[in-house]
Amino acid sequence: MKIALIGYGKMGKEIEQIAVNRGHSIVLTIDITNPEDFTPENLAKADVAIEFTSPGVAVNNYLKCFDAGIPVISGTTGWLKQRELVENTCKEKNGCFFYSSNYSLGVNIFFELNRLLAKMMKGFPQYDVSITEVHHTQKLDAPSGTAISLAEDIISINDSKTNWTIEKQKSKEELSIKPVREGSVPGIHTIKYDSEEDYIEITHSAYSRKGLAFGAVIAAEFSYGKTGIYSMKDILKLV
């Protein structure tokens, strides 16, 4: 499989190493030093694009990939206010779009554990739930896409919460997300149910970017030759 890497920072280089080890070739790399190479002609050389950039440019990158007729695997977070535009354009172009707020196998299992715990805790209103996420100082968006996914899953299950906030919790209906940016932390996400008597806590901690990079390559392999909109649930068969 021939891969275009849109975004060639630390994550892009990690993806490149895993992809090459799995027998794929990198035919195009794009970063801030060579935007002139981001053309339909160059994209057409690839079978699939993997995009890890920043929220401000991600959507335009997806649309370019749809125009070039290649599947795009989205690893960027913080752009979801334009999700309807992206998905509608993908359908109009008969393209393929794969998005996950986190490509780690462990995190996607953690998503399922979070949903299960949220169902269990519905009958115990004395426990108030909150989320803390910790990432490296270079991460541009806050809260993380993973934290937002966790929060939205809790809200969809626990009717005592109506929205999430990164501000100080003003009412019991708000789910507080606390973003922390420090050092070179790859990612830590903690869900805490706190009461006056005790608390219940689940945490996922990433050792490195390798889990994310491996998942992105697997998503690219899955998307090759397909049309439609997909997520990690389609690969892992998680319901």
Side-chain angles (χ1 to χ4, degrees):
M1 189 170 62
K2 298 175 182 177
I3 299 174
L5 293 178
I6 315 303
Y8 195 53
K10 292 178 181 177
M11 192 66 192
K13 292 178 173 64
E14 194 78 59
I15 291 169
E16 178 181 43
Q17 183 177 349
I18 290 173
V20 170
N21 287 342
R22 291 178 66 84
H24 307 303
S25 59
I26 308 300
V27 296
L28 178 66
T29 59
I30 300 294
D31 64 13
I32 59 174
T33 66
N34 65 332
E36 69 280 1
D37 292 335
F38 197 2
T39 65
E41 294 77 17
N42 284 337
L43 283 172
K45 299 173 185 177
D47 298 315
V48 64
I50 301 177
E51 202 273 3
F52 276 77
T53 59
S54 61
V57 299
V59 171
N60 189 50
N61 293 342
Y62 307 153
L63 301 184
K64 284 185 177 181
C65 292
F66 297 151
D67 286 339
I70 63 170
V72 57
I73 284 71
S74 162
T76 303
T77 58
W79 59 270
L80 289 180
K81 289 183 179 179
Q82 299 184 73
R83 187 166 192 163
E84 185 176 355
L85 167 66
V86 171
E87 293 187 350
N88 286 342
T89 304
C90 178
K91 293 172 184 176
E92 289 168 7
K93 300 282 186 178
N94 200 30
C96 179
F97 183 66
F98 192 112
Y99 172 71
S100 179
S101 57
N102 195 304
Y103 283 86
S104 160
L105 171 62
V107 164
N108 281 275
I109 294 171
F110 190 65
F111 284 152
E112 295 303 310
L113 183 60
N114 174 55
R115 285 189 279 268
L116 177 60
L117 184 56
K119 291 176 185 176
M120 294 173 65
M121 299 304 292
K122 280 185 68 173
F124 302 95
Q126 66 267 39
Y127 288 88
D128 191 37
V129 60
S130 62
I131 297 173
T132 302
E133 57 98 346
V134 186
H135 281 89
H136 52 85
T137 54
Q138 293 179 331
K139 185 167 179 61
L140 299 178
D141 57 317
S144 69
T146 301
I148 292 173
S149 294
L150 292 164
E152 290 181 345
D153 280 345
I154 293 170
I155 291 167
S156 71
I157 294 167
N158 190 335
D159 51 18
S160 69
K161 297 294 182 182
T162 60
N163 63 288
W164 58 264
T165 178
I166 58 173
E167 306 296 331
K168 187 175 181 180
Q169 187 182 26
K170 296 174 183 174
S171 70
K172 289 184 177 181
E173 289 75 34
E174 290 184 331
L175 196 166
S176 173
I177 303 177
K178 181 181 178 182
V180 178
R181 298 291 174 263
E182 61 184 30
S184 56
V185 179
I188 303 171
H189 293 86
T190 299
I191 314 292
K192 184 176 183 179
Y193 286 84
D194 199 10
S195 77
E196 291 184 0
E197 291 78 27
D198 56 13
Y199 68 88
I200 300 167
E201 189 174 270
I202 57 173
T203 298
H204 176 273
S205 298
Y207 290 129
S208 71
R209 295 180 176 87
K210 287 184 179 179
L212 299 171
F214 178 76
V217 174
I218 294 298
E221 294 171 351
F222 173 88
S223 302
Y224 176 52
K226 287 186 174 67
T227 59
I229 297 170
Y230 302 97
S231 71
M232 289 297 285
K233 285 186 177 182
D234 296 296
I235 292 178
L236 301 175
K237 308 299 182 185
L238 298 174
V239 295

PDB file of all heavy atoms in Angstrom, residues 218-236:
ATOM      1  N   ILE A 218      -3.205   0.458  10.980  1.00  0.00           N
ATOM      2  CA  ILE A 218      -4.242  -0.567  10.846  1.00  0.00           C
ATOM      3  C   ILE A 218      -5.498   0.040  10.223  1.00  0.00           C
ATOM      4  O   ILE A 218      -6.162  -0.585   9.374  1.00  0.00           O
ATOM      5  CB  ILE A 218      -4.576  -1.182  12.227  1.00  0.00           C
ATOM      6  CG1 ILE A 218      -3.372  -1.943  12.772  1.00  0.00           C
ATOM      7  CG2 ILE A 218      -5.792  -2.101  12.136  1.00  0.00           C
ATOM      8  CD1 ILE A 218      -2.941  -3.114  11.933  1.00  0.00           C
ATOM      9  N   ALA A 219      -5.848   1.259  10.620  1.00  0.00           N
ATOM     10  CA  ALA A 219      -7.006   1.941  10.039  1.00  0.00           C
ATOM     11  C   ALA A 219      -6.806   2.198   8.554  1.00  0.00           C
ATOM     12  O   ALA A 219      -7.747   2.081   7.761  1.00  0.00           O
ATOM     13  CB  ALA A 219      -7.259   3.251  10.782  1.00  0.00           C
ATOM     14  N   ALA A 220      -5.573   2.538   8.160  1.00  0.00           N
ATOM     15  CA  ALA A 220      -5.280   2.757   6.745  1.00  0.00           C
ATOM     16  C   ALA A 220      -5.439   1.459   5.956  1.00  0.00           C
ATOM     17  O   ALA A 220      -6.007   1.449   4.851  1.00  0.00           O
ATOM     18  CB  ALA A 220      -3.873   3.319   6.585  1.00  0.00           C
ATOM     19  N   GLU A 221      -4.951   0.374   6.518  1.00  0.00           N
ATOM     20  CA  GLU A 221      -5.099  -0.927   5.866  1.00  0.00           C
ATOM     21  C   GLU A 221      -6.576  -1.294   5.719  1.00  0.00           C
ATOM     22  O   GLU A 221      -7.006  -1.816   4.682  1.00  0.00           O
ATOM     23  CB  GLU A 221      -4.349  -1.997   6.653  1.00  0.00           C
ATOM     24  CG  GLU A 221      -2.840  -1.803   6.651  1.00  0.00           C
ATOM     25  CD  GLU A 221      -2.111  -2.732   7.615  1.00  0.00           C
ATOM     26  OE1 GLU A 221      -2.788  -3.427   8.416  1.00  0.00           O
ATOM     27  OE2 GLU A 221      -0.860  -2.752   7.590  1.00  0.00           O
ATOM     28  N   PHE A 222      -7.352  -1.011   6.742  1.00  0.00           N
ATOM     29  CA  PHE A 222      -8.790  -1.300   6.722  1.00  0.00           C
ATOM     30  C   PHE A 222      -9.498  -0.461   5.659  1.00  0.00           C
ATOM     31  O   PHE A 222     -10.420  -0.932   4.976  1.00  0.00           O
ATOM     32  CB  PHE A 222      -9.378  -1.010   8.106  1.00  0.00           C
ATOM     33  CG  PHE A 222     -10.872  -1.104   8.187  1.00  0.00           C
ATOM     34  CD1 PHE A 222     -11.490  -2.320   8.457  1.00  0.00           C
ATOM     35  CD2 PHE A 222     -11.668   0.028   8.015  1.00  0.00           C
ATOM     36  CE1 PHE A 222     -12.876  -2.411   8.540  1.00  0.00           C
ATOM     37  CE2 PHE A 222     -13.051  -0.056   8.093  1.00  0.00           C
ATOM     38  CZ  PHE A 222     -13.653  -1.281   8.357  1.00  0.00           C
ATOM     39  N   SER A 223      -9.101   0.805   5.506  1.00  0.00           N
ATOM     40  CA  SER A 223      -9.788   1.754   4.628  1.00  0.00           C
ATOM     41  C   SER A 223      -9.427   1.600   3.156  1.00  0.00           C
ATOM     42  O   SER A 223     -10.171   2.088   2.290  1.00  0.00           O
ATOM     43  CB  SER A 223      -9.478   3.194   5.069  1.00  0.00           C
ATOM     44  OG  SER A 223      -9.873   3.411   6.410  1.00  0.00           O
ATOM     45  N   TYR A 224      -8.335   0.952   2.868  1.00  0.00           N
ATOM     46  CA  TYR A 224      -7.852   0.823   1.488  1.00  0.00           C
ATOM     47  C   TYR A 224      -8.935   0.194   0.605  1.00  0.00           C
ATOM     48  O   TYR A 224      -9.436  -0.882   0.882  1.00  0.00           O
ATOM     49  CB  TYR A 224      -6.581  -0.027   1.472  1.00  0.00           C
ATOM     50  CG  TYR A 224      -6.023  -0.309   0.095  1.00  0.00           C
ATOM     51  CD1 TYR A 224      -5.792   0.720  -0.806  1.00  0.00           C
ATOM     52  CD2 TYR A 224      -5.717  -1.605  -0.299  1.00  0.00           C
ATOM     53  CE1 TYR A 224      -5.266   0.465  -2.051  1.00  0.00           C
ATOM     54  CE2 TYR A 224      -5.189  -1.878  -1.548  1.00  0.00           C
ATOM     55  CZ  TYR A 224      -4.966  -0.831  -2.426  1.00  0.00           C
ATOM     56  OH  TYR A 224      -4.460  -1.086  -3.675  1.00  0.00           O
ATOM     57  N   GLY A 225      -9.295   0.909  -0.449  1.00  0.00           N
ATOM     58  CA  GLY A 225     -10.278   0.398  -1.397  1.00  0.00           C
ATOM     59  C   GLY A 225     -11.726   0.554  -0.976  1.00  0.00           C
ATOM     60  O   GLY A 225     -12.632   0.125  -1.701  1.00  0.00           O
ATOM     61  N   LYS A 226     -11.985   1.165   0.190  1.00  0.00           N
ATOM     62  CA  LYS A 226     -13.353   1.297   0.678  1.00  0.00           C
ATOM     63  C   LYS A 226     -13.914   2.690   0.416  1.00  0.00           C
ATOM     64  O   LYS A 226     -13.180   3.648   0.178  1.00  0.00           O
ATOM     65  CB  LYS A 226     -13.407   1.018   2.191  1.00  0.00           C
ATOM     66  CG  LYS A 226     -13.253  -0.436   2.590  1.00  0.00           C
ATOM     67  CD  LYS A 226     -13.471  -0.582   4.094  1.00  0.00           C
ATOM     68  CE  LYS A 226     -13.482  -2.050   4.549  1.00  0.00           C
ATOM     69  NZ  LYS A 226     -12.182  -2.691   4.396  1.00  0.00           N
ATOM     70  N   THR A 227     -15.246   2.788   0.480  1.00  0.00           N
ATOM     71  CA  THR A 227     -15.934   4.067   0.559  1.00  0.00           C
ATOM     72  C   THR A 227     -16.797   4.043   1.826  1.00  0.00           C
ATOM     73  O   THR A 227     -17.156   2.978   2.312  1.00  0.00           O
ATOM     74  CB  THR A 227     -16.831   4.316  -0.666  1.00  0.00           C
ATOM     75  OG1 THR A 227     -17.803   3.260  -0.759  1.00  0.00           O
ATOM     76  CG2 THR A 227     -16.003   4.348  -1.944  1.00  0.00           C
ATOM     77  N   GLY A 228     -17.084   5.238   2.346  1.00  0.00           N
ATOM     78  CA  GLY A 228     -17.911   5.298   3.546  1.00  0.00           C
ATOM     79  C   GLY A 228     -17.201   5.986   4.697  1.00  0.00           C
ATOM     80  O   GLY A 228     -16.085   6.484   4.547  1.00  0.00           O
ATOM     81  N   ILE A 229     -17.857   5.992   5.853  1.00  0.00           N
ATOM     82  CA  ILE A 229     -17.340   6.646   7.051  1.00  0.00           C
ATOM     83  C   ILE A 229     -17.177   5.604   8.142  1.00  0.00           C
ATOM     84  O   ILE A 229     -18.122   4.860   8.443  1.00  0.00           O
ATOM     85  CB  ILE A 229     -18.285   7.773   7.497  1.00  0.00           C
ATOM     86  CG1 ILE A 229     -18.345   8.843   6.394  1.00  0.00           C
ATOM     87  CG2 ILE A 229     -17.832   8.385   8.813  1.00  0.00           C
ATOM     88  CD1 ILE A 229     -19.428   9.884   6.598  1.00  0.00           C
ATOM     89  N   TYR A 230     -15.983   5.563   8.739  1.00  0.00           N
ATOM     90  CA  TYR A 230     -15.650   4.479   9.660  1.00  0.00           C
ATOM     91  C   TYR A 230     -14.966   5.017  10.915  1.00  0.00           C
ATOM     92  O   TYR A 230     -14.508   6.164  10.969  1.00  0.00           O
ATOM     93  CB  TYR A 230     -14.720   3.465   8.975  1.00  0.00           C
ATOM     94  CG  TYR A 230     -15.296   2.862   7.726  1.00  0.00           C
ATOM     95  CD1 TYR A 230     -14.975   3.369   6.468  1.00  0.00           C
ATOM     96  CD2 TYR A 230     -16.173   1.784   7.802  1.00  0.00           C
ATOM     97  CE1 TYR A 230     -15.514   2.816   5.315  1.00  0.00           C
ATOM     98  CE2 TYR A 230     -16.720   1.221   6.662  1.00  0.00           C
ATOM     99  CZ  TYR A 230     -16.383   1.743   5.415  1.00  0.00           C
ATOM    100  OH  TYR A 230     -16.933   1.187   4.286  1.00  0.00           O
ATOM    101  N   SER A 231     -14.884   4.128  11.922  1.00  0.00           N
ATOM    102  CA  SER A 231     -14.180   4.449  13.162  1.00  0.00           C
ATOM    103  C   SER A 231     -13.526   3.165  13.681  1.00  0.00           C
ATOM    104  O   SER A 231     -13.669   2.097  13.081  1.00  0.00           O
ATOM    105  CB  SER A 231     -15.142   5.004  14.216  1.00  0.00           C
ATOM    106  OG  SER A 231     -15.995   3.962  14.701  1.00  0.00           O
ATOM    107  N   MET A 232     -12.854   3.269  14.818  1.00  0.00           N
ATOM    108  CA  MET A 232     -12.186   2.101  15.392  1.00  0.00           C
ATOM    109  C   MET A 232     -13.172   1.005  15.776  1.00  0.00           C
ATOM    110  O   MET A 232     -12.816  -0.162  15.829  1.00  0.00           O
ATOM    111  CB  MET A 232     -11.354   2.501  16.609  1.00  0.00           C
ATOM    112  CG  MET A 232     -10.097   3.297  16.274  1.00  0.00           C
ATOM    113  SD  MET A 232      -8.907   2.369  15.279  1.00  0.00           S
ATOM    114  CE  MET A 232      -8.202   1.261  16.513  1.00  0.00           C
ATOM    115  N   LYS A 233     -14.418   1.374  16.018  1.00  0.00           N
ATOM    116  CA  LYS A 233     -15.434   0.349  16.326  1.00  0.00           C
ATOM    117  C   LYS A 233     -15.581  -0.645  15.177  1.00  0.00           C
ATOM    118  O   LYS A 233     -15.859  -1.831  15.398  1.00  0.00           O
ATOM    119  CB  LYS A 233     -16.781   1.010  16.621  1.00  0.00           C
ATOM    120  CG  LYS A 233     -16.869   1.675  17.976  1.00  0.00           C
ATOM    121  CD  LYS A 233     -18.284   2.164  18.235  1.00  0.00           C
ATOM    122  CE  LYS A 233     -18.410   2.777  19.610  1.00  0.00           C
ATOM    123  NZ  LYS A 233     -19.785   3.217  19.901  1.00  0.00           N
ATOM    124  N   ASP A 234     -15.420  -0.149  13.943  1.00  0.00           N
ATOM    125  CA  ASP A 234     -15.567  -1.036  12.780  1.00  0.00           C
ATOM    126  C   ASP A 234     -14.435  -2.044  12.698  1.00  0.00           C
ATOM    127  O   ASP A 234     -14.614  -3.145  12.163  1.00  0.00           O
ATOM    128  CB  ASP A 234     -15.622  -0.190  11.501  1.00  0.00           C
ATOM    129  CG  ASP A 234     -16.842   0.707  11.459  1.00  0.00           C
ATOM    130  OD1 ASP A 234     -17.963   0.175  11.412  1.00  0.00           O
ATOM    131  OD2 ASP A 234     -16.671   1.939  11.513  1.00  0.00           O
ATOM    132  N   ILE A 235     -13.274  -1.681  13.213  1.00  0.00           N
ATOM    133  CA  ILE A 235     -12.140  -2.596  13.198  1.00  0.00           C
ATOM    134  C   ILE A 235     -12.207  -3.563  14.387  1.00  0.00           C
ATOM    135  O   ILE A 235     -12.010  -4.774  14.236  1.00  0.00           O
ATOM    136  CB  ILE A 235     -10.802  -1.822  13.247  1.00  0.00           C
ATOM    137  CG1 ILE A 235     -10.604  -1.047  11.940  1.00  0.00           C
ATOM    138  CG2 ILE A 235      -9.625  -2.759  13.487  1.00  0.00           C
ATOM    139  CD1 ILE A 235      -9.340  -0.221  11.901  1.00  0.00           C
ATOM    140  N   LEU A 236     -12.468  -3.020  15.553  1.00  0.00           N
ATOM    141  CA  LEU A 236     -12.408  -3.813  16.777  1.00  0.00           C
ATOM    142  C   LEU A 236     -13.708  -4.546  17.074  1.00  0.00           C
ATOM    143  O   LEU A 236     -13.750  -5.365  18.006  1.00  0.00           O
ATOM    144  CB  LEU A 236     -12.046  -2.902  17.958  1.00  0.00           C
ATOM    145  CG  LEU A 236     -10.710  -2.163  17.825  1.00  0.00           C
ATOM    146  CD1 LEU A 236     -10.518  -1.205  18.986  1.00  0.00           C
ATOM    147  CD2 LEU A 236      -9.553  -3.136  17.746  1.00  0.00           C
TER     148      LEU A 236
END
